[in-house]
C-alpha cells in the first residue's frame, strides 16, 4: 500500500533561470580542500615520519660511500633514483593519497563534504594537490640532503633532473592511487600497494606495449636520457626504456595522470556510501 | 520544496526506505521514527548523498544527486559524531563554507557569525578533539547553517546536548525555520513538537503517517488501546466492565489478568475502578496500553497495514 502525503504549501517549481547557481567555483573548493588537507598533515607524528623520509636516502648514501671506493657517480645516481623518485615518493603518496575518501568516512566528515556543490570533486582533487605538494616537498628536501652528502662531482648539476623526476613521479603515482582510493576506499592502501607492484614494477618492466602506460617506464627513460646513458646501455637493457624525446615522456605522464584523475572523479561522483559505512 | 515519488532505496538485499511517496512544502518538517527506521537513508536521498534504487527524488524541482545547483541550497548536519581532532571549530566551519563557494575572507566572517549563533563563540580556537560532544554538535550545526541554505536538513541534531543547550538550539532552529525550510529527523517526539514542525512518521523504511503533530495525535487517539487489569476475579470484573459502552473487546490472560480494548482508556479505567469497588473485587494493577513512542509507532504500523492492534 502506498500513501501520498502532502504537507504544507507546495510552491510552484521555480523557473530554471530563477534558481541560484552555485556560488563557488570548483577551483576555489579544490584549493580549500588542499589547504585543509595540508593543515591535517602538519601534526607531530606526520612531521616525524616526513623527517625520517628526508634523512633516510642521505643515510643510505653515506653508508654506500663508506663501502665503495673510487668514482661511484653512476652508482650514486641509481641509488638516488631508486630511493627518492621511486621509493620515497611511492611511500609518501601511499600515506597521503590512499586515505582520501576513507579518512573522511572514518572521521564522519564525508557527509559534510558530499553535500557541498562541488564537494566530492574538490575532495579528490584537493587531496591530490595536497598529496603531491607534501610528498614532493619531502622528496626535494631528501634530494637536497642526499646530494649534499653524495660525494659526487658537481652534485647540484643533477638537481634539475631529479627534481623533475620527483615532480613527475608524484603527479603520476598520486593519480594512480586515486583510483583505489575511490573504488575501494576502505582497502585503498592494500589495493594501492598491489597496483604499485603489478602496474609499476611488473607491467612497467615488461618489454611490451603495456609498459607504455606506466609511470616507471617514463621516469627510467628520462633518467637514462638525462644522464646520457642511452648509447652505453646493452641492447637488452634498452628494451626497458623508451627513446622518445623528453617532451613525449613528460606529456605521457601528464596525460596518464589526467585520464586517471578524470576516471577517479567520475567514479567518486557516482559513489554512494550507506550510513553504516560512515563514522 | 521536496518530493519523493514511490522511492525505494536498497542496500544489496536490505531495504533502506520502501516505496515512499511524500511531498513537503516550504516550512518546518519533522521526520520521526525509531532507530533503524530509515530516517538517515531518507535524508541521504534528500541531500543527494544517495540515489534512489526505484522512484524519483526531487528537491527544489530537481534531482539532488550529483546536482551542484540543488546542493548549493542545502545545509546538512549529519547524525554521526565529528571525529576531526585537530581543526578548530572556526577552521572547520570556514572550510565547509569555502566548499560552498565563498571566498576565504567571506567564509571566515560567516563561520564566526554561525559559531556565535550556536553559542560556540568562546571555543572557536579550541581543537575539536578537546570539545565535549555537545559542543561538537553545535559546531556541526554551525557548519550546516553558515552558508545560509534555503533548506536545512538536520539528523538527530540535539543528541548529546544538555537540556539548557537543547532548549537554546531548538529556539535557534525554530527561528531559522520562520522564513526558510527545515527538515529534522529525530526519534524523540517532543523534539519535533518543540520545533512546531509538521510530522512525517517512518518505520521499517515505510512512511506510516504524516500531518501536523495534532493530526498525528488525533490519529493515535482514535486507535483502540488496551487496559491490562490484574485482579482476583477477572471474570466477574469482565461482567461489570461489559456494561460500559467504552469497552470494545475483552480477553483473559492466565488466571488473574483481564485485557480490555477501548478507544476511551481514561473513561473505561474509571468505570473499571468503580465496578471493582462496587463488587468488592481486589484490583492489584490497572495499566494502560503502551503509550510510549514505540507503542505509538506500533499502532501506526498496525493502522497502516489495516489490522487491529
Amino acid at each position: 500500500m502506498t500513501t501520498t502525503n502532502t504537507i504544507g504549501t507546495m510552491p510552484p517549481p521555480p523557473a530554471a533561470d530563477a534558481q541560484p547557481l552555485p556560488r563557488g567555483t570548483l577551483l576555489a573548493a579544490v584549493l580549500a580542500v588542499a589547504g585543509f588537507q595540508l593543515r591535517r598533515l602538519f601534526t607531530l607524528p606526520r612531521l616525524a615520519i616526513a623527517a625520517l623520509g628526508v634523512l633516510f636516502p642521505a643515510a643510505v648514501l653515506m653508508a654506500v660511500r663508506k663501502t665503495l671506493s673510487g668514482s661511484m657517480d653512476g652508482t650514486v645516481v641509481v641509488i638516488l633514483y631508486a630511493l627518492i623518485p621511486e621509493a620515497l615518493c611511492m611511500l609518501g603518496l601511499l600515506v597521503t593519497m590512499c586515505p582520501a575518501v576513507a579518512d573522511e568516512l572514518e572521521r564522519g566528515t564525508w557527509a559534510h563534504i558530499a553535500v557541498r556543490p562541488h564537494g566530492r570533486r574538490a575532495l579528490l582533487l584537493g587531496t591530490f594537490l595536497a598529496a603531491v605538494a607534501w610528498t614532493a616537498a619531502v622528496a626535494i628536501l631528501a634530494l637536497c640532503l642526499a646530494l649534499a652528502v653524495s660525494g659526487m662531482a658537481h652534485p647540484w648539476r643533477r638537481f634539475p633532473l631529479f627534481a623533475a623526476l620527483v615532480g613527475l613521479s608524484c603527479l603520476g603515482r598520486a593519480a594512480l592511487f586515486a583510483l583505489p582510493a575511490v573504488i575501494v576506499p576502505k582497502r585503498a592502501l592494500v589495493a594501492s600497494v598491489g597496483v604499485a607492484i603489478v602496474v609499476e614494477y611488473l607491467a612497467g618492466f615488461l618489454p611490451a606495449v603495456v609498459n607504455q602506460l606506466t609511470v616507471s617506464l617514463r621516469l627510467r627513460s628520462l633518467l637514462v636520457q638525462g644522464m646520457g646513458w642511452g648509447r652505453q646501455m646493452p641492447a637488452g637493457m634498452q628494451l626497458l626504456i623508451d627513446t622518445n624525446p623528453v617532451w613525449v615522456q613528460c606529456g605521457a605522464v601528464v596525460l596518464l595522470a589526467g585520464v586517471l584523475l578524470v576516471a577517479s572523479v567520475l567514479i567518486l561522483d557516482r559513489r554512494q556510501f550507506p550510513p553504516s559505512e560512515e563514522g | 520544496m521536496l518530493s519523493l515519488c514511490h522511492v525505494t532505496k536498497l542496500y544489496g538485499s536490505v531495504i533502506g526506505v520502501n516505496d515512499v511517496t511524500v511531498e513537503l512544502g516550504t516550512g518546518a518538517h519533522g521526520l520521526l521514527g525509531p532507530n533503524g527506521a530509515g530516517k538517515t537513508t531518507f535524508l541521504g536521498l534528500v541531500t543527494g548523498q544517495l540515489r534512489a534504487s526505484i522512484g524519483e527524488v526531487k528537491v527544489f524541482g530537481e534531482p539532488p544527486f550529483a546536482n551542484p545547483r540543488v546542493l548549493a541550497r542545502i545545509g546538512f548536519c549529519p547524525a554521526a559524531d565529528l571525529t576531526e581532532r585537530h581543526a578548530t571549530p572556526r577552521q572547520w566551519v570556514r572550510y565547509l563554507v569555502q566548499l560552498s563557494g565563498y571566498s576565504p575572507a567571506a567564509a571566515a566572517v560567516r563561520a564566526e557569525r554561525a559559531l556565535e549563533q550556536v553559542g560556540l563563540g568562546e571555543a572557536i580556537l579550541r581543537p575539536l578533539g578537546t570539545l565535549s560532544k555537545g559542543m561538537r554538535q553545535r559546531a556541526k550545526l554551525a557548519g550546516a547553517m553558515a552558508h545560509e541554505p534555503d533548506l536545512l536538513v538536520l539528523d538527530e541534531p540535539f543528541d548529546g546536548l544538555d537540556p539548557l543547550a537543547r532548549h537554546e538550539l531548538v529556539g535557534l532552529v525554530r527561528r531559522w525555520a520562520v522564513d526558510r525550510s527545515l527538515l529534522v529527523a529525530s526519534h524523540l517526539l517532543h523534539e519535533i513538537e518543540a520545533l512546531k514542525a509538521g510530522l512525517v512518521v517512518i518505520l521499517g523504511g515505510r512512511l506510516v503517517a504524516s500531518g501536523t503533530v495534532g493530526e498525528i495525535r488525533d490519529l493515535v487517539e482514535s486507535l483502540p488501546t488496551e487496559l491490562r487489569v490484574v485482579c482476583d476475579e477477572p471474570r466477574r470484573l469482565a461482567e461489570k466492565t461489559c456494561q460500559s459502552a467504552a469497552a470494545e473487546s475483552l480477553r483473559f490472560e492466565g488466571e488473574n489478568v483481564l485485557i480490555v480494548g477501548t478507544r476511551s482508556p481514561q473513561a473505561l479505567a474509571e468505570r473499571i475502578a468503580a465496578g471493582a469497588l462496587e463488587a468488592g473485587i481486589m484490583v492489584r494493577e490497572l495499566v494502560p496500553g503502551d503509550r510510549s513512542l514505540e507503542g505509538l509507532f506500533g499502532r501506526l504500523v498496525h493502522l497502516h497495514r489495516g489490522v487491529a492492534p
Side-chain angles (χ1 to χ4, degrees):
Chain A
M1 190 176 81
T2 303
T3 51
T4 301
N5 307 272
T6 305
I7 307 172
T9 50
M10 272 297 288
D17 59 354
Q19 292 179 2
L21 288 170
R23 285 163 285 201
T25 62
L26 177 60
L27 181 64
V30 169
L31 292 177
V33 173
F36 196 79
Q37 297 286 40
L38 281 173
R39 203 174 297 124
R40 274 178 175 170
L41 289 169
F42 275 95
T43 60
L44 269 181
R46 297 276 192 166
L47 287 170
I49 292 170
L52 273 181
V54 169
L55 295 173
F56 182 69
V60 171
L61 277 185
M62 286 172 79
V64 170
R65 272 181 62 188
K66 283 190 178 171
T67 313
L68 298 179
S69 58
S71 173
M72 51 176 196
D73 283 9
T75 310
V76 168
V77 164
V78 170
I79 291 173
L80 269 181
Y81 172 75
L83 288 179
I84 298 178
E86 290 292 341
L88 187 59
C89 289
M90 197 76 96
L91 288 173
L93 293 166
L94 280 173
V95 174
T96 51
M97 191 63 211
C98 291
V101 178
D103 251 11
E104 307 303 329
L105 290 170
E106 247 170 58
R107 292 170 196 254
T109 50
W110 167 255
H112 294 269
I113 293 166
V115 297
R116 305 286 154 172
H118 299 293
R120 292 166 184 247
R121 292 176 178 200
L123 174 68
L124 189 75
L125 298 177
T127 307
F128 171 82
L129 272 189
V132 169
W134 175 264
T135 308
V138 170
I140 293 291
L141 284 177
L143 176 64
C144 291
L145 193 61
L147 286 175
V149 302
S150 65
M152 284 193 291
H154 310 296
W156 299 106
R157 286 186 190 167
R158 312 285 178 220
F159 182 81
L161 171 65
F162 274 92
L165 291 177
V166 163
L168 288 173
S169 174
C170 289
L171 201 67
R173 267 76 183 254
L176 184 64
F177 295 156
L179 265 184
V182 298
I183 295 173
V184 281
K186 298 217 163 174
R187 300 278 179 274
L189 194 62
V190 175
S192 294
V193 171
V195 165
I197 292 170
V198 173
V199 176
E200 287 295 293
Y201 298 124
L202 198 65
F205 280 89
L206 282 180
V209 179
V210 68
N211 73 4
Q212 301 286 317
L213 300 174
T214 65
V215 178
S216 63
L217 173 79
R218 306 298 167 186
L219 298 184
R220 275 196 317 272
S221 304
L222 283 170
L223 176 72
V224 169
Q225 288 186 28
M227 294 301 296
W229 289 345
R231 288 177 193 161
Q232 304 161 18
M233 288 179 78
M237 292 292 282
Q238 288 193 2
L239 288 173
L240 299 178
I241 59 157
D242 186 272
T243 52
N244 277 308
V246 169
W247 70 267
V248 173
Q249 312 298 344
C250 297
V253 174
V254 172
L255 185 68
L256 188 64
V259 169
L260 289 168
L261 275 180
V262 169
S264 305
V265 162
L266 292 178
I267 291 168
L268 190 61
D269 265 354
R270 317 309 292 174
R271 278 304 309 255
Q272 302 175 72
F273 296 102
S276 58
E277 282 191 28
E278 294 177 40
Chain B
M1 176 187 67
L2 72 88
S3 66
L4 280 77
C5 182
H6 296 291
V7 168
T8 296
K9 178 63 193 171
L10 298 165
Y11 302 113
S13 59
V14 177
I15 294 183
V17 296
N18 188 359
D19 196 20
V20 169
T21 298
V22 67
E23 288 181 358
L24 302 181
T26 308
H29 304 282
L31 182 63
L32 190 67
N35 295 328
K39 300 190 296 295
T40 301
T41 299
F42 186 105
L43 298 189
L45 290 163
V46 168
T47 55
Q49 295 172 71
L50 301 173
R51 194 172 22 180
S53 309
I54 304 169
E56 188 179 50
V57 181
K58 284 192 173 177
V59 180
F60 301 121
E62 294 183 68
F65 188 80
N67 186 338
R69 273 194 306 277
V70 175
L71 296 182
R73 301 174 66 184
I74 294 176
F76 179 49
C77 174
D81 193 13
L82 192 60
T83 55
E84 180 71 43
R85 311 307 294 176
H86 300 290
T88 65
R90 186 163 70 172
Q91 288 169 340
W92 172 246
V93 177
R94 190 175 59 191
Y95 170 53
L96 292 181
V97 180
Q98 278 183 264
L99 282 182
S100 285
Y102 289 89
S103 68
V109 172
R110 281 172 181 271
E112 285 190 19
R113 194 192 306 152
L115 287 163
E116 286 287 343
Q117 273 182 327
V118 299
L120 214 55
E122 289 175 11
I124 57 172
L125 296 178
R126 280 174 56 188
L128 283 162
T130 66
L131 301 182
S132 67
K133 190 183 175 200
M135 291 167 100
R136 287 200 301 276
Q137 199 70 15
R138 287 166 187 253
K140 276 165 54 184
L141 197 56
M145 296 167 75
H147 63 294
E148 297 185 6
D150 297 324
L151 167 64
L152 183 61
V153 181
L154 310 175
D155 193 358
E156 308 280 2
F158 308 119
D159 260 13
L161 296 177
D162 58 64
L164 184 63
R166 191 177 289 237
H167 177 74
E168 283 172 16
L169 289 192
V170 164
L172 174 69
V173 172
R174 220 161 75 185
R175 285 195 296 281
W176 169 276
V178 168
D179 55 355
R180 275 167 287 203
S181 294
L182 175 71
L183 179 59
V184 181
S186 176
H187 59 273
L188 300 172
L189 181 60
H190 64 84
E191 282 185 358
I192 307 286
E193 275 185 302
L195 289 169
K196 303 197 185 309
L199 265 184
V200 176
V201 184
I202 188 168
L203 186 84
R206 280 184 173 271
L207 195 147
V208 292
S210 62
T212 63
V213 172
E215 285 167 353
I216 301 284
R217 279 211 182 282
D218 288 348
L219 179 68
V220 173
E221 292 302 326
S222 72
L223 297 173
T225 186
E226 290 184 329
L227 291 176
R228 185 173 185 274
V229 190
V230 181
C231 62
D232 292 339
E233 299 173 80
R235 283 167 208 284
R236 265 185 68 212
L237 186 60
E239 195 184 321
K240 289 274 175 197
T241 306
C242 280
Q243 290 165 12
S244 167
E248 293 185 12
S249 65
L250 287 168
R251 70 174 200 276
F252 299 99
E253 272 183 16
E255 292 296 308
N256 299 320
V257 180
L258 169 65
I259 310 282
V260 190
T262 179
R263 285 171 207 268
S264 315
Q266 183 68 33
L268 187 64
E270 285 168 11
R271 178 76 197 96
I272 291 172
L277 196 64
E278 242 174 65
I281 300 168
M282 169 72 80
V283 174
R284 289 199 291 272
E285 254 184 61
L286 176 55
V287 185
D290 189 355
R291 310 291 288 175
S292 68
L293 192 59
E294 293 292 331
L296 182 154
F297 287 137
R299 288 158 71 199
L300 283 172
V301 171
H302 281 118
L303 179 75
H304 187 67
R305 291 176 183 161
V307 296

